[in-house]
Amino acid sequence: MKIEKSGMIAIIGRPNVGKSTLINMLSGEKVAIVSDKPQTTRGRICAVLNRDDTQYIFMDTPGFHKPRSRLGEYMVDVVRQSVTDVDAVVLVVEPVASVGRQEKLLIERIEKNGMPAILVINKIDTVKKDMLLEVIGAYCAVFKFAAVVPLSAKTGEGTESLLTELAAFIPEGPQLYPDGMVSDQPEKRLLSEIIREKMLMELDREVPHGVAVEISSFETQADGLVRVSATIYCEKENHKGIIIGKKGAMLRHIGELARKDMEEMLGAKVFLETWVKVKENWRDNPNQLRNFGFEG
């Protein structure tokens, strides 16, 4: 397959509208972690799809929100930067017939940068179809979108229509990512994100938002076994106790869930070691943020 067109598409929206689920559905691979908690995505993640003669590069971004820490400010800045120097923007919203403050701010950003934008109304599997006309009317009264695509990122309904609409904005140009590459994220980052996803799934709402995961070692042995050592950093001593659980039960449970996903991703048996350490207020510490790859 010869790639003749290649383009960057920013996927933006408020937290929990389904951006990462959409990215995974479009790329056909799990390149971004998902959870029902806000601010699951912390940085920009590129997912690559080669279709016919076109390479689509989708940029997943953090949910646009009011920041309450330096990490939050970094995440919001990632969204702002992602709306520049791309070929198209996809604004993902829920099927609600009113334009929220965060959506208005994002639309202002799109308008300021003069980017072609497609409105995606996600989660159509949760509402009656006749409600969508009100949603479309509310958003089209605020901004002239190049197209409006109702879809379900969960089931895949409507995603082919989105690709068809996006194809019009992909310019002719060389292939930016090689064949077989589905994400720009290094394996260590993907492994750390798998662990964080399981923590988001299994722990109380407050605890996982103050967590960072660092892969300290990652090696494949002669027998094919992959040994992974990960350190989980949290902000409070009592959070450390919650993560470890009674007699280590919660940490073992998180590790087991993460190990299964790692084996599926790597196609090999994995031995996973996890440790928990406290770094107070790391989300507001510039040096710690840089260490975890969130600034600079």
Side-chain angles (χ1 to χ4, degrees):
M1 176 173 59
K2 184 181 179 182
I3 298 296
E4 297 177 350
K5 300 195 299 180
S6 186
M8 306 285 291
I9 301 135
I11 311 291
I12 64 173
R14 69 164 62 226
N16 280 119
V17 292
K19 298 183 298 299
S20 296
T21 302
L22 178 60
I23 284 277
N24 291 338
M25 177 62 72
L26 289 170
S27 66
E29 299 281 347
K30 184 174 180 177
V31 297
I33 65 171
V34 295
S35 83
D36 60 358
K37 294 183 173 66
Q39 300 162 44
T40 296
T41 302
R42 286 176 169 171
R44 189 168 61 187
I45 299 169
C46 286
V48 183
L49 171 66
N50 291 337
R51 176 74 66 88
D52 299 327
D53 65 345
T54 303
Q55 183 171 83
Y56 300 84
I57 302 154
F58 301 103
M59 293 173 11
D60 191 14
T61 61
F64 195 68
H65 65 287
K66 185 176 181 179
R68 296 188 175 125
S69 65
R70 286 190 69 117
L71 174 60
E73 291 169 4
Y74 164 83
M75 292 161 64
V76 169
D77 197 44
V78 167
V79 182
R80 292 194 182 106
Q81 291 176 14
S82 297
V83 183
T84 62
D85 296 326
V86 292
D87 299 292
V89 176
V90 172
L91 174 62
V92 184
V93 302
E94 293 186 326
V96 177
S98 63
V99 183
R101 179 177 177 273
Q102 303 296 349
E103 284 77 14
K104 288 178 180 177
L105 290 171
L106 287 170
I107 288 170
E108 287 175 11
R109 195 78 184 177
I110 292 168
E111 199 166 22
K112 180 180 178 181
N113 287 282
M115 295 292 156
I118 292 175
L119 177 70
V120 160
I121 304 170
N122 190 23
K123 305 182 183 180
I124 62 170
D125 52 309
T126 65
V127 297
K128 293 181 179 179
K129 297 296 188 287
D130 56 4
M131 291 181 60
L132 296 176
L133 290 175
E134 294 181 28
V135 183
I136 294 170
Y139 276 91
C140 289
V142 175
F143 182 74
K144 186 176 181 181
F145 290 92
V148 178
V149 181
L151 58 74
S152 169
K154 184 178 179 181
T155 68
E157 180 185 357
T159 52
E160 285 298 323
S161 296
L162 176 59
L163 289 174
T164 299
E165 295 291 350
L166 286 170
F169 302 108
I170 306 299
E172 292 185 2
Q175 183 171 340
L176 299 179
Y177 288 91
D179 291 339
M181 188 172 181
V182 296
S183 174
D184 66 339
Q185 300 297 292
E187 283 185 317
K188 277 191 174 184
R189 174 60 66 88
L190 292 172
L191 294 174
S192 68
E193 285 288 270
I194 286 173
I195 295 172
R196 194 167 66 85
E197 179 187 58
K198 305 313 173 190
M199 298 177 73
L200 284 161
M201 290 169 50
E202 300 299 321
L203 296 173
D204 292 334
R205 184 172 294 270
E206 178 190 359
V207 176
H209 287 305
V211 160
V213 181
E214 183 179 54
I215 303 299
S216 49
S217 67
F218 167 50
E219 58 181 355
T220 303
Q221 298 183 166
D223 60 1
L225 178 71
V226 179
R227 298 185 68 94
V228 179
S229 181
T231 303
I232 298 165
Y233 294 96
C234 60
E235 291 188 305
K236 300 178 182 179
E237 196 66 40
N238 66 319
H239 286 182
K240 177 180 178 180
I242 293 170
I243 294 167
I244 294 173
K246 189 175 181 180
K247 296 183 178 179
M250 178 55 73
L251 187 59
R252 283 196 301 273
H253 177 58
I254 290 168
E256 182 64 19
L257 293 174
R259 183 185 61 78
K260 289 178 181 178
D261 276 18
M262 289 177 180
E263 289 182 341
E264 185 174 342
M265 185 190 95
L266 298 171
K269 286 289 183 183
V270 171
F271 177 80
L272 173 63
E273 282 184 307
T274 52
W275 312 88
V276 184
K277 294 183 179 180
V278 177
K279 281 191 183 292
E280 293 186 3
N281 301 317
W282 68 264
R283 284 181 291 178
D284 280 311
N285 185 314
N287 292 328
Q288 294 299 333
L289 288 170
R290 277 191 292 272
N291 289 340
F292 292 133
F294 294 122
E295 285 194 352

